[in-house]
Amino acid sequence: MFPFAFEWVPEATRYVFMGSLYAVLISLIIIMHYCVIRAFLDLICPKKNHNNH
Amino acid sequence: MDSASAPFDSALFPEGVKRCKLKWFLFWIAVLHGPLMVGIVATLMCWGLALNVTYLNNNYPFGLWIAADLGVIALGAGAFFTGFLRYVVNIEELKNIVNYAVVIGVMCYASAQGILGIDIGQPLRGWFIFWHANVHSMLTEVAFCITCYFMVLCIEYLPLILENRQINKFRFFHGMAHHLHGAMPTIAAIGVFLSFFHQGSLGGVPGVLYGRPFAYREGFLVWPWTFFLFILSAIACGPCFTILITRITEGCARKRLVKRNVIEILAKISGRLLAVYLVLKIVDTLYWIVIAGRVGAPLSSFYVNQPYGYWVLITEIGILGVIPAIILLNTKARQNDSLLIIACILNCTGIFMNRWIMTVQSLAVPVMSFDKFVSYHPNWVEYATTFVFVWVSAIVIMLSYRYLPIFPQEKELNPL
């Protein structure tokens, strides 16, 4: 539920719960995008010393 | 191995390892599909004919499914705790088992969500808990954390898939796997945060039932003591489940996949945590006996109805708690393979029993003077739908073992 939904009740618990959920989801989305973008950049400008792991 | 005798799909195997012939692999997959189909039929019955095909009723809205759900989530704690030890505490040796812990964790959490998908009766309304969230309920927190943590586990599993020998030939996927490995400490830290709260909140759910003296506990701020006991018990048994599944895999593959010192580290940590948990659990139980007695619910009233006699308390804490703790704490005992396996089995069974007690037995104990004890035994539909996830997990583990580089030490331990 988003704060602009009519069912949203402005109370501390709701901000903590939903805020934590969105914080985690946004963190995961950022990490995935970061990895995809870095992999794409490596593809178009390859580095010489890319260590295999 | 020469190319003529190599299995048909050998190009997909990790570099430098040996796998069985494809026909045997397919044979075992087909064998697992037998019980799997029974489970799928039972699942369709639950969805098509509603939950009255089960033995759940108004006395027992929580039954085998919820106990199994809590059990597999606790067993899946091996993933987050091993990840925590590897990436946050930085125990280097655990890099040799953390991949497998992730695979096991993914399957545990997928199973938990699958069981819930059947348990809620109408899975099409599963999204209600996110949109119409009751933010005062610990179960909402559990639902949020389990969903998010399952995403975390899938992200942790992704680089393993991308490191498949053929997929890894694509430079983009190779780079993606590389960068995901780099981001793993952050992902592991998010996983620890999520796991800490949902493992605890699962314990908090029975602990806040102040109308049920059998389950109710006092606590710290909004968290009952069961919140902390559930976290401790999960991190104590999760590594044991990882050891157990690793040993079963080694038995099926007929080779060593992980070095002894890695197993030793996990067993030692698990033993110490189990000992701490048991001390706190015994203190909690003694305190609960005194407090419940003062409010008119003596201990005997909780254990008067069969099959939930005193044997439940003795088995849970003594046989399935103290015995594995002693084995895991004793260096010589845990170095003995058979004893280690027995300790792991007892520990994992103990966690299931604890979750059953905190959910099903909590509902079984009559509360009002006019309440009557009603017994509950799951029927075949409940068993089949619960075990369906065991068969699915076995298939996923078999596929992962065959095609993904899960065990970094396999090549060294089994030279071709």
Side-chain angles (χ1 to χ4, degrees), chain B residues 401-416:
Chain B
Y401 168 69
R402 190 169 177 87
Y403 298 120
L404 306 179
I406 290 174
F407 297 105
Q409 293 177 322
E410 184 185 358
K411 206 168 150 184
E412 182 191 339
L413 289 168
N414 308 278
L416 289 176

Side-chain angles (χ1 to χ4, degrees), chain B residues 13-186:
Chain B
F13 297 168
E15 200 83 51
V17 300
K18 195 179 169 187
R19 296 286 181 264
C20 69
K21 289 214 180 299
L22 183 63
K23 65 177 180 184
W24 286 113
F25 178 70
L26 293 177
F27 169 77
W28 285 112
I29 294 275
V31 167
L32 287 170
H33 270 73
L36 181 65
M37 287 303 140
V38 177
I40 288 172
V41 169
T43 305
L44 293 175
M45 282 173 68
C46 290
W47 284 339
L49 305 171
L51 295 183
N52 57 359
V53 295
T54 68
Y55 282 175
L56 293 175
N57 52 45
N58 288 342
N59 289 307
Y60 289 97
F62 281 0
L64 174 67
W65 283 331
I66 286 294
D69 211 53
L70 268 64
V72 290
I73 287 172
L75 297 178
F80 103 82
F81 194 58
T82 314
F84 169 75
L85 294 172
R86 165 69 189 94
Y87 296 110
V88 182
V89 182
N90 211 10
I91 301 178
E92 187 68 17
E93 289 86 349
L94 294 181
K95 71 179 180 193
N96 300 307
I97 204 165
V98 73
N99 292 345
Y100 203 43
V102 166
V103 177
I104 295 166
V106 168
M107 291 326 297
C108 283
Y109 278 81
S111 305
Q113 295 198 333
I115 292 171
L116 284 176
I118 303 167
D119 200 1
I120 58 174
Q122 295 202 39
L124 290 177
R125 295 183 184 175
W127 59 275
F128 277 27
I129 199 162
F130 301 102
W131 192 258
H132 305 290
N134 172 11
V135 293
H136 304 284
S137 161
M138 287 210 180
L139 274 180
T140 308
E141 185 190 333
V142 171
F144 282 14
C145 287
I146 286 177
T147 314
C148 290
Y149 186 55
F150 182 63
M151 290 180 200
V152 168
L153 282 170
C154 289
I155 294 172
E156 288 179 349
Y157 188 37
L158 186 60
L160 291 176
I161 298 171
L162 298 178
E163 281 173 355
N164 171 275
R165 212 163 94 198
Q166 298 305 321
I167 298 175
N168 208 240
K169 284 180 181 170
F170 295 92
R171 276 184 42 224
F172 175 77
F173 293 134
H174 176 82
M176 176 91 181
H178 176 75
H179 293 300
L180 276 170
H181 274 295
M184 214 46 87
T186 316

Side-chain angles (χ1 to χ4, degrees), chain A residues 1-2 7 11 13-14 17-18 21 25 27-28 31-32 35-36 38-40 42-43 46 50 52-53, chain B residues 130-133 135-136 141 144 148 151-152 155 158 163 171-172 174-176 178-181 187 190:
Chain A
M1 190 195 295
F2 300 112
E7 294 150 298
E11 53 178 336
T13 333
R14 193 167 297 273
F17 256 73
M18 303 308 286
L21 173 68
L25 289 177
S27 304
L28 294 179
I31 288 170
M32 285 306 290
C35 294
V36 170
R38 286 288 304 269
F40 183 71
D42 287 351
L43 193 69
H50 179 70
N52 209 342
H53 37 77
Chain B
F130 301 102
W131 192 258
H132 305 290
V135 293
H136 304 284
E141 185 190 333
F144 282 14
C148 290
M151 290 180 200
V152 168
I155 294 172
L158 186 60
E163 281 173 355
R171 276 184 42 224
F172 175 77
H174 176 82
M176 176 91 181
H178 176 75
H179 293 300
L180 276 170
H181 274 295
I187 298 169
I190 295 173

Side-chain angles (χ1 to χ4, degrees), chain B residues 3 17 24 30 43 54 82 92 100 107 120 131 137 169 193-194 212 231 272 287 293 301 303-304 308-309 318 340 392:
Chain B
S3 58
V17 300
W24 286 113
T43 305
T54 68
T82 314
E92 187 68 17
Y100 203 43
M107 291 326 297
I120 58 174
W131 192 258
S137 161
K169 284 180 181 170
F193 167 77
L194 292 168
R212 291 190 177 274
I231 296 171
R272 288 178 182 177
Y287 184 69
S301 68
Y303 295 101
V304 73
Y308 303 113
L340 178 65
V392 173

Side-chain angles (χ1 to χ4, degrees), chain B residues 310-352:
Chain B
Y310 281 109
W311 70 270
V312 172
L313 192 62
I314 295 162
T315 308
E316 185 207 352
I317 297 176
I319 299 168
L320 303 176
V322 175
I323 294 175
I326 290 169
I327 295 173
L328 292 169
L329 283 174
N330 186 303
T331 312
K332 278 190 178 171
R334 71 169 177 260
Q335 280 172 350
N336 179 315
D337 257 354
S338 309
L339 281 177
L340 178 65
I341 296 299
I342 290 169
C344 290
I345 292 171
L346 290 177
N347 193 358
C348 295
T349 312
I351 209 81
F352 263 103

Side-chain angles (χ1 to χ4, degrees), chain B residues 116-282:
Chain B
L116 284 176
I118 303 167
D119 200 1
I120 58 174
Q122 295 202 39
L124 290 177
R125 295 183 184 175
W127 59 275
F128 277 27
I129 199 162
F130 301 102
W131 192 258
H132 305 290
N134 172 11
V135 293
H136 304 284
S137 161
M138 287 210 180
L139 274 180
T140 308
E141 185 190 333
V142 171
F144 282 14
C145 287
I146 286 177
T147 314
C148 290
Y149 186 55
F150 182 63
M151 290 180 200
V152 168
L153 282 170
C154 289
I155 294 172
E156 288 179 349
Y157 188 37
L158 186 60
L160 291 176
I161 298 171
L162 298 178
E163 281 173 355
N164 171 275
R165 212 163 94 198
Q166 298 305 321
I167 298 175
N168 208 240
K169 284 180 181 170
F170 295 92
R171 276 184 42 224
F172 175 77
F173 293 134
H174 176 82
M176 176 91 181
H178 176 75
H179 293 300
L180 276 170
H181 274 295
M184 214 46 87
T186 316
I187 298 169
I190 295 173
V192 171
F193 167 77
L194 292 168
S195 292
F196 180 84
F197 279 102
H198 76 251
Q199 296 284 0
S201 291
L202 282 172
V205 172
V208 295
L209 298 175
Y210 57 84
R212 291 190 177 274
F214 181 79
Y216 180 71
R217 298 290 190 279
E218 291 171 323
F220 173 71
L221 297 176
V222 295
W223 299 289
W225 297 128
T226 46
F227 180 97
F228 305 100
L229 289 174
F230 265 50
I231 296 171
L232 254 178
S233 60
I235 59 176
C237 94
C240 272
F241 188 61
T242 308
I243 294 171
L244 189 62
I245 299 295
T246 307
R247 281 282 180 259
I248 292 171
T249 312
E250 287 180 336
C252 295
R254 293 179 195 159
K255 58 172 136 173
R256 280 268 170 192
L257 299 168
V258 180
K259 282 186 184 170
R260 183 75 218 187
N261 67 322
V262 180
I263 300 287
E264 180 72 15
I265 291 169
L266 278 185
K268 195 163 90 179
I269 292 171
S270 189
R272 288 178 182 177
L273 288 168
L274 185 61
V276 174
Y277 163 71
L278 280 171
V279 169
L280 295 176
K281 173 78 183 170
I282 290 166

